[in-house]
Amino acid sequence: MNPITLHTDAQTVTLAIIAVALPFAAFVVNFLLLGKSKASGWVSTLAILGSAVLSLNVFFRVWDNHTIHMQQLWFTIGATKVQVGVLLNNLSVLMLVLVSLIALPVHIYSTAYMKDDAGYSRYFRYLSFFCFSMLALVVVDSLITFYAFWELVGFSSYLLIGFWYDRDSAVQANKKAFIMNRIGDIGLLTAIIILFTQFGTFDLYELFKDGGLVAHSFFINGEWAAGLNYIPSVWHYIAFGGIFLAVAAKSAQFPLHTWLPDAMEGPTSVSALIHAATMVAAGVFLLGRVYPMFNEAELTTLAIVGCFTAFMAATIALTQNDLKRILAYSTISQLGYMVMAMGVGAYSSSLFHLVTHAFFKCLLFLVAGVVIHQIKHIKEDNSLDIDPQDIRHMGGLRKKLPLTFIAVLIAGLALVGLPLTSGFLSKDGILIQAFDWADGRSFMLSIIPIMALLTSWLTAFYVARLIFKVFFGELRLLKAFPSLQIHIGDGHWAYKLPLILLALCCLFPLFSLNPFSYETSWLYEAFAPKHAAEGQSIYHLVIPALVSVVSLVIIFCAYVLYIKRGDGMVVKNGLLFRISYNEWYIDRFYKRIIVKFVIWLSGVLYWVDRKVIDGFIHLLEKIGLAIAKATAWCDKYIVDGVLWLAAELVQYIGNFARRFQGGKVQYYLYSMLLAVIAVFILKLIWA
């Protein structure tokens, strides 16, 4: 590589590092210098604005150009050298731009949404740290640093979900999110250890690049071979299982999805960021990073789980009454589409949908924030005891919130996937490629695209239900309380500007000049295989038409059901309704079976620890004390007794002998005479 290119690449890496570091700098400044000052909001907003500008610069330097990978030695353990650096390719810079561009309107919106909150400055500290963690996650080049920032993303979300820590529901929600994500983190750590054991490196580029170490590994005779290294093939599947757990936890896939609806306890602006481009996007990003390692069976598993998750979450969203909870299950459903797309080989469409979903889901949550904020005003002005997030209290708000209504209409159409929106392009790409993938496969696998198509129609119904119940008809609170004082509106520019920007990004021109062809999108083309066939199957014509026409019919039916008939024909006591309303009883199963079992097992282990382990230790203690006492007695009365006896005997003999040393000559003569007589007598006796 020539010196000019090296210099340009070094500049690009520097810009990327600064883009990542700016939110962290805002966090430090807010924490150390600003305290509770309202200036903290604008410090964080300016920092993320700087990140967005620099990220766009990096994007245009790298996009569809050569990969930039720079690293340096971090530390050495034995013969293992661990490098740390920055990896910039299409996936990295796309996520870098996406995170910063989504975070920017959220920051602007938050300056208004959180202005009266006592924790205003703390909120922006957490928000800046959250953005820093996610931005760093997408550019690091090592599995070690990836895991570190993966954990920081989880920790940041824990802080934000439990932001209102004086509410028990918020505390329970952030603990639930934290614990369920730890399950996924254990899986990811296991996968990292296996990959290092097999390949001897943590370098993401060397492992997963085209023609990299993973691509050159293979299975032979029940073993997973990489160069001269052979380990049992089961370890490959364990590594996949670990990655799947990590994805399921972060991106809320079955069976680890139940934390995400509860995460709505945090501020709505936080929900917009978590659901759009940070926390939940991290799981799909991980799939994109390690995609070359998956074999056919593992991809099929992803397709099945993703499809089931999408369908399940969509059915639950049909009957929920909490505005944010409906959107939460919508997020789970759309993430299921992305995971399914990875499984069916629609890698480019999965990432395409990740980007489009980020814009329209962020917009939907910001709209929800405006609506909830205005219902709170009505509640406070009239001293009502109501839940401001319950859509059963709403209605007719399009007249009071015209800009918000236009925004939700655009975002809703994009979520359904109707023409002229970005969602139409990305979702149709997934569905078409899913049907192409299913051709020639078993009957069971051919159900996957059919369920995905059905999920698309379910999406149309719950989106229509939400919009009709919130924005059409008459305000239900006014019917219940005719004397209500209502003073609500779209709010000032800090509310309006983010809605306008995001609404524009939900339309097709940002992604493709052709509103009906996902293949012509610049984003799709960058990730699609160069040899991919375009527009050759009948599905390219049938699926978009089928999705659009049936969705419009379903929307009309929802209009008749909820507006013309006033919700009176909705069955609310059937088996299917109860399954949907109770969220398939999955969370209840966890609480009544899994949680109780864990608590019971903890009690058993506690008893074993106190009675068996501690009891055995106490027994050893008592035995030791008894031996020590016996040893002390022996030492005192036997060992010391013998010594004392010998001393006494010597002293006695000495005292006795001393009597013969009186200094008088006659005593010495008597002694000699006695000795001679004694010897003479003894001689006579022995003779």
Side-chain angles (χ1 to χ4, degrees):
M1 189 175 292
N2 64 62
I4 296 177
T5 303
L6 284 173
H7 178 69
T8 303
D9 289 353
Q11 284 183 330
T12 305
V13 169
T14 301
L15 292 175
I17 293 173
I18 296 173
V20 171
L22 280 174
F24 183 74
F27 162 75
V28 173
V29 170
N30 288 341
F31 183 75
L32 296 179
L33 302 178
L34 296 182
K36 295 184 177 181
S37 171
K38 293 291 185 180
S40 58
W42 291 109
V43 168
S44 293
T45 302
L46 290 174
I48 202 65
L49 174 61
S51 292
V53 172
L54 293 174
S55 297
L56 284 169
N57 194 323
V58 172
F59 177 84
F60 289 117
R61 286 167 175 254
V62 175
W63 186 255
D64 261 356
N65 204 335
H66 67 281
T67 296
I68 299 175
H69 182 213
M70 290 188 176
Q71 58 182 191
Q72 64 181 29
L73 182 64
W74 188 11
F75 60 86
T76 302
I77 298 179
T80 303
K81 296 181 184 294
V82 179
Q83 307 281 342
V84 63
V86 172
L87 174 59
L88 299 176
N89 57 10
N90 279 359
L91 181 59
S92 299
V93 297
L94 177 66
M95 291 300 297
L96 195 67
V97 168
L98 181 65
V99 173
S100 56
L101 287 183
I102 291 295
L104 179 58
V106 171
H107 275 71
I108 296 172
Y109 181 95
S110 297
T111 58
Y113 191 77
M114 299 296 293
K115 68 177 181 179
D116 296 323
D117 196 281
Y120 181 89
S121 58
R122 178 167 55 88
Y123 169 85
F124 278 100
R125 289 199 295 270
Y126 292 170
L127 200 62
S128 290
F129 191 74
F130 192 22
C131 292
F132 158 70
S133 301
M134 189 64 195
L135 288 170
L137 177 74
V138 303
V139 300
V140 293
D141 74 327
S142 168
L143 284 169
I144 292 180
T145 47
F146 183 93
Y147 186 76
F149 287 110
W150 179 272
E151 289 292 325
L152 287 180
V153 168
F155 174 67
S156 305
S157 65
Y158 167 81
L159 295 175
L160 286 165
I161 293 168
F163 176 76
W164 287 311
Y165 55 82
D166 53 341
R167 302 179 185 175
D168 182 66
S169 56
V171 172
Q172 296 302 323
N174 75 345
K175 286 195 296 186
K176 184 176 183 179
F178 193 79
I179 291 170
M180 295 195 80
N181 273 275
R182 294 297 72 73
I183 298 172
D185 296 345
I186 292 171
L188 179 58
L189 182 59
T190 301
I192 290 172
I193 293 170
I194 293 171
L195 288 170
F196 178 75
T197 301
Q198 177 70 328
F199 299 102
T201 181
F202 295 106
D203 192 325
L204 283 164
Y205 182 68
E206 292 299 324
L207 285 168
F208 300 109
K209 68 180 180 180
D210 289 340
L213 296 174
V214 169
H216 281 105
S217 65
F218 56 93
F219 294 102
I220 183 171
N221 298 327
E223 293 191 311
W224 181 19
L228 299 177
N229 197 23
Y230 292 81
I231 60 175
S233 58
V234 67
W235 289 107
H236 186 280
Y237 295 103
I238 294 174
F240 164 75
I243 291 171
F244 171 76
L245 279 177
V247 173
K250 271 288 192 292
S251 291
Q253 297 297 285
F254 176 84
L256 300 179
H257 64 282
T258 57
W259 68 268
L260 190 58
D262 290 351
M264 300 300 97
E265 291 295 334
T268 306
S269 48
V270 167
S271 301
L273 195 56
I274 289 177
H275 286 250
T278 51
M279 180 77 166
V280 298
V284 179
F285 172 74
L286 173 60
L287 285 180
R289 266 288 190 241
V290 303
Y291 194 72
M293 79 168 285
F294 302 136
N295 60 33
E296 187 67 23
E298 293 163 349
L299 289 173
T300 301
T301 302
L302 289 177
I304 293 171
V305 173
C307 180
F308 175 76
T309 302
F311 175 77
M312 173 199 66
T315 61
I316 294 173
L318 294 173
T319 58
Q320 301 305 303
N321 294 313
D322 186 298
L323 178 56
K324 290 172 66 176
R325 209 167 180 86
I326 295 171
L327 297 180
Y329 277 107
S330 170
T331 299
I332 296 172
S333 182
Q334 298 306 306
L335 290 167
Y337 268 115
M338 299 172 208
V339 173
M340 182 196 72
M342 288 286 184
V344 301
Y347 178 86
S348 52
S349 291
S350 178
L351 295 177
F352 191 4
H353 197 56
L354 175 65
V355 175
T356 60
H357 173 264
F359 288 107
F360 60 70
K361 186 52 58 70
C362 183
L363 178 55
L364 284 169
F365 269 105
L366 296 189
V367 163
V370 172
V371 171
I372 294 168
H373 201 60
Q374 300 307 322
I375 298 297
K376 278 184 179 178
H377 282 319
I378 297 175
K379 174 184 176 180
E380 293 166 358
D381 292 344
N382 297 274
S383 301
L384 301 178
D385 183 18
I386 60 169
D387 179 4
Q389 296 181 190
D390 194 329
I391 62 175
R392 290 172 294 186
H393 299 317
M394 302 174 190
L397 294 180
R398 75 183 190 280
K399 301 172 185 176
K400 299 289 185 179
L401 312 173
L403 178 64
T404 304
F405 171 67
I406 294 172
V408 77
L409 202 59
I410 294 173
L413 293 176
L415 176 56
V416 174
L418 292 180
L420 306 182
T421 66
S422 60
F424 172 83
L425 296 170
S426 59
K427 184 181 284 189
D428 279 5
I430 292 174
L431 292 173
I432 291 168
Q433 288 173 279
F435 275 95
D436 284 335
W437 171 84
D439 274 349
R441 297 180 185 268
S442 67
F443 171 75
M444 294 301 296
L445 294 181
S446 66
I447 294 176
I448 290 177
I450 296 173
M451 285 187 64
L453 183 60
L454 178 59
T455 301
S456 177
W457 295 332
L458 293 175
T459 302
F461 186 86
Y462 71 68
V463 169
R465 172 179 177 263
L466 185 152
I467 293 176
F468 290 144
K469 295 199 74 167
V470 174
F471 290 95
F472 284 77
E474 298 296 329
L475 183 63
R476 293 172 185 82
L477 283 175
L478 198 57
K479 291 182 179 180
F481 307 97
S483 60
L484 278 183
Q485 296 181 10
I486 301 176
H487 306 287
I488 60 175
D490 287 310
H492 61 77
W493 70 270
Y495 286 112
K496 294 178 180 178
L497 181 61
L499 299 186
I500 294 170
L501 292 176
L502 290 169
L504 292 174
C505 293
C506 292
L507 301 175
F508 74 91
L510 181 63
F511 299 97
S512 175
L513 295 179
N514 185 343
F516 301 105
S517 174
Y518 68 89
E519 295 101 329
T520 59
S521 166
W522 56 268
L523 200 159
Y524 177 85
E525 289 178 341
F527 292 106
K530 302 305 178 186
H531 59 277
E534 297 182 4
Q536 294 182 354
S537 72
I538 190 64
Y539 299 123
H540 286 71
L541 296 175
V542 173
I543 297 303
L546 199 59
V547 169
S548 300
V549 172
V550 176
S551 293
L552 289 173
V553 171
I554 289 173
I555 291 171
F556 177 75
C557 292
Y559 174 77
V560 171
L561 194 62
Y562 290 103
I563 302 301
K564 292 296 185 181
R565 303 292 178 89
D567 205 6
M569 294 178 60
V570 179
V571 179
K572 297 181 180 179
N573 57 1
L575 175 63
L576 294 179
F577 178 87
R578 291 198 301 273
I579 291 173
S580 170
Y581 186 76
N582 291 287
E583 302 165 349
W584 285 46
Y585 296 95
I586 295 172
D587 213 25
R588 190 173 298 184
F589 169 77
Y590 286 160
K591 291 177 181 177
R592 293 187 178 181
I593 305 297
I594 304 299
V595 173
K596 285 187 176 181
F597 172 75
V598 170
I599 293 174
W600 173 83
L601 182 61
S602 300
V604 171
L605 294 176
Y606 177 75
W607 181 89
V608 170
D609 180 58
R610 292 296 302 272
K611 302 298 183 180
V612 178
I613 298 176
D614 287 355
F616 179 68
I617 291 173
H618 292 154
L619 178 62
L620 291 178
E621 176 191 7
K622 291 178 180 179
I623 292 172
L625 287 173
I627 293 173
K629 289 179 180 179
T631 303
W633 186 89
C634 290
D635 182 63
K636 182 176 181 181
Y637 293 103
I638 297 178
V639 178
D640 287 355
V642 170
L643 293 175
W644 279 106
L645 179 62
E648 290 291 329
L649 184 60
V650 169
Q651 186 178 13
Y652 174 77
I653 294 172
N655 289 337
F656 177 77
R658 188 171 59 209
R659 295 175 185 174
F660 300 100
Q661 304 295 325
K664 296 181 178 182
V665 176
Q666 59 269 31
Y667 286 163
Y668 296 150
L669 291 175
Y670 292 152
S671 299
M672 292 174 63
L673 179 61
L674 288 173
V676 170
I677 293 171
V679 171
F680 180 75
I681 292 171
L682 289 173
K683 188 175 181 181
L684 288 176
I685 293 172
W686 287 344

